[in-house]
Amino acid sequence: MEKAGSPTPLTRLTEDETLFRDSVLEFAGREIRPLVREMDDQARMPRTLIDRLFELGVMGIEIPDAQGGAGGTFFHAVLAVEALSTVDPSVGVLVDVQNTLVINALRRWGSDTQHAQYLPQLAARAVGAYALSEAGSGSDAFALTTRAVDSGGDFVLTGRKLWITNANEADLFVVFATVSPEAGYRGITAFLVERSFAGFSVGKKEDKLGIRASSTCELLLEECRVPRANVLGEVGRGYKVAIETLNEGRIGIGAQMIGLAQGALDHAIAYTKERKQFGKALADFQGVQFQLAHAATELEAARLLVYNAARLRDAGEPFLTAAAMCKLFSANAAEHITSLAVQLFGGYGYVKDYPVEKLYRDAKIGQIYEGTSNLQLQTIAKQILGS
Ligand SMILES: Cc1cc2nc3c(=O)[nH]c(=O)nc-3n(C[C@H](O)[C@H](O)[C@H](O)COP(=O)(O)OP(=O)(O)OC[C@H]3O[C@@H](n4cnc5c(N)ncnc54)[C@H](O)[C@@H]3O)c2cc1C
């Protein structure tokens, strides 16, 4: 039997990956945990924390060293999002959108000039956001109506985007608009829009169930002039930018979900070992042990799906089905595990003085953004049916 070159276990990390993950976990415990309750109550994330994330090196993970980034892999980004989300999934999604959507899209589709202009900013201080959805187009994303009119040197963008993560903090927005509504998806074009561009503004901020510290806002484009040099990829090929970026992005959401599920499970294990009823710790009851064992097994299965999808992506292998499966499964696992954690805390699980009710609220978003669970099922079904 050939041993050399056989695949390593999916959850085995390289030394560098272990060091990186541990440094992010340590940061999350030290710098984020004390802020979680206040950030959730106030529905805001302090800029000082965002600055610390830049210093930690998690805001430009795949940006090459030469452009000020960490020169890491997509898998590193997944590890960072997972580790941050064990403590606060709102911070997890800020880092996720920055890396797996914005930087990813720019690196894949951007010109050399765009790379030189924007990647160093994104690695050093600029937050990015990704604006596809509108009031009338969510799952049916390519029904978007934001219009881009070619006016010689510039494009003039008019329309509204809804539900845009990081919008409150972002300096750079990847905005999708159509240059030709009659051309259907073939009119869709991606633009790099700076917050300071005339005609661009950030509108209403949503008051949400969960991930409350992550901003979600409307964007207003009122005859916003965008230089032709800021078209990302080709005119009329924005649908490809969107599809391909979101295929990768949903692995990041899988990472957010396994991180928050791990956080909830850790709390549940610690609490059931402490809390005594009927003269013994809750964790001494076999009924409770079995519930925890089920949760740990579901979480491990979710993690294997997420890591496999990320490793496939880094290996340059097809990962479309793996990404859809990992998001679908990990979002469901997160919902089950956070619900169990609330249950095992009893009445204490239902109040804000303990951390699990927040994670329960945070989990729901995994079934909604970057393609709802039904849309993931649609992708998986298409692949297995060959349709
Ligand atoms: C907190 C938050 C952050 C977000 N961040 C971003 C962001 O940064 N950028 C961005 O562009 N968007 C973002 N979104 C938007 C998000 O991606 C959409 O909400 C999502 O794609 C669903 O679209 P919708 O809300 O219009 O729901 P709809 O598409 O109207 O779906 C409603 C329901 O119908 C089901 N459904 C729809 N079509 C089908 C079908 N063909 N078959 C079966 N079932 C179907 C869906 O599964 C869902 O359950 C965010 C949303 C939220 C809530």
Side-chain angles (χ1 to χ4, degrees), residues 120-158:
Q121 290 182 30
L122 286 163
R125 63 187 172 281
V127 174
Y130 188 87
L132 179 63
S133 304
E134 299 179 0
S137 62
S139 299
D140 188 10
F142 295 156
L144 62 82
T145 59
T146 296
R147 188 79 166 90
V149 176
D150 189 343
S151 82
D154 297 339
F155 281 89
V156 179
L157 270 58
T158 304

Side-chain angles (χ1 to χ4, degrees), residues 4 6 8 11 34 53-54 58 61 75 121 146 163 201-203 205 209 232 262 272 316 372:
S6 30
T8 49
T11 49
L53 293 166
F54 278 102
V58 294
I61 294 171
F75 195 79
Q121 290 182 30
T146 296
W163 312 118
S201 60
V202 175
K205 182 169 157 223
L209 170 75
L232 181 62
Q262 183 69 61
T272 54
T372 64

Side-chain angles (χ1 to χ4, degrees), residues 130-133 138-139 163-165 208 216 365 368-370 372 374-375 378:
Y130 188 87
L132 179 63
S133 304
S139 299
W163 312 118
I164 307 310
T165 300
K208 305 195 298 293
T216 311
I365 193 60
I368 298 175
Y369 59 15
E370 294 203 31
T372 64
N374 273 0
L375 270 285
Q378 196 182 74

